Amino acid sequence: MRTIATAATAIFLMAGGSAPLGAEPSSAPRAKLVHCGAQDCLKISGRRDSTSVIVRVNGEPVLVEGGTRWRTKLPVVRLQRMSPRFARTASVTLDNPLSRSEITHEIDLPIGLLGGTTPLAALEVTAW
């Protein structure tokens, strides 16, 4: 049964689909807010099959550092231009021109990064 599921996932990925939830979570890109100079940046890191794989964030190619373990830092201002307002996720696409395949992952953005925060007048915390 596991072989059938693995084969089905491989066929799905070769067809250009994105990885289903739960499929190799360690290979999915990760994002975290960091300081880069005088501004805040979103650091995105992940793995790719080879250095020929092109990394795109929300459809735009980005420069990455590293080899198969890559990382990039996007200033929040640039991310705001690349994303819809109030977005809570960003798409990271790994485009392999050699095999003519691509895999797209959705990464969670820090809450309120692109707007949409709600100011609170009060917050009540209770314990059960």
Side-chain angles (χ1 to χ4, degrees), residues 6 10 18 20 25 36 38 44 47-48 66-67 70 76 79 97-99 101 106 116 121:
T6 303
S18 61
C36 52
I44 305 171
R47 294 180 185 262
R48 55 187 174 171
W70 60 269
V76 172
L79 186 64
L98 300 177
S99 66
S101 64
E106 290 294 317

Side-chain angles (χ1 to χ4, degrees), residues 11-62:
I11 291 168
F12 180 75
L13 292 175
M14 286 188 288
S18 61
L21 291 177
E24 295 188 56
S26 62
S27 67
R30 297 178 188 176
K32 98 180 193 184
L33 194 61
V34 297
H35 291 288
C36 52
Q39 58 186 339
D40 288 330
C41 293
L42 188 69
K43 178 182 174 186
I44 305 171
S45 60
R47 294 180 185 262
R48 55 187 174 171
D49 292 336
S50 77
T51 56
S52 63
V53 172
I54 300 165
V55 179
R56 294 192 314 258
V57 176
N58 288 346
E60 292 187 28
V62 295

Side-chain angles (χ1 to χ4, degrees), residues 63-121:
L63 292 174
V64 298
E65 299 173 349
T68 55
R69 294 184 67 184
W70 60 269
R71 67 199 154 283
T72 188
K73 290 182 183 176
L74 293 175
V76 172
V77 174
R78 180 175 178 202
L79 186 64
Q80 288 171 332
R81 287 193 305 262
M82 298 167 64
S83 305
R85 188 160 187 212
F86 304 123
R88 294 192 175 207
T89 63
S91 64
V92 176
T93 302
L94 304 175
D95 183 5
N96 190 335
L98 300 177
S99 66
R100 296 183 183 173
S101 64
E102 65 179 37
I103 299 172
T104 300
H105 299 274
E106 290 294 317
I107 57 170
D108 291 327
L109 298 175
I111 295 174
L113 181 67
L114 300 180
T117 59
T118 303
L120 298 174

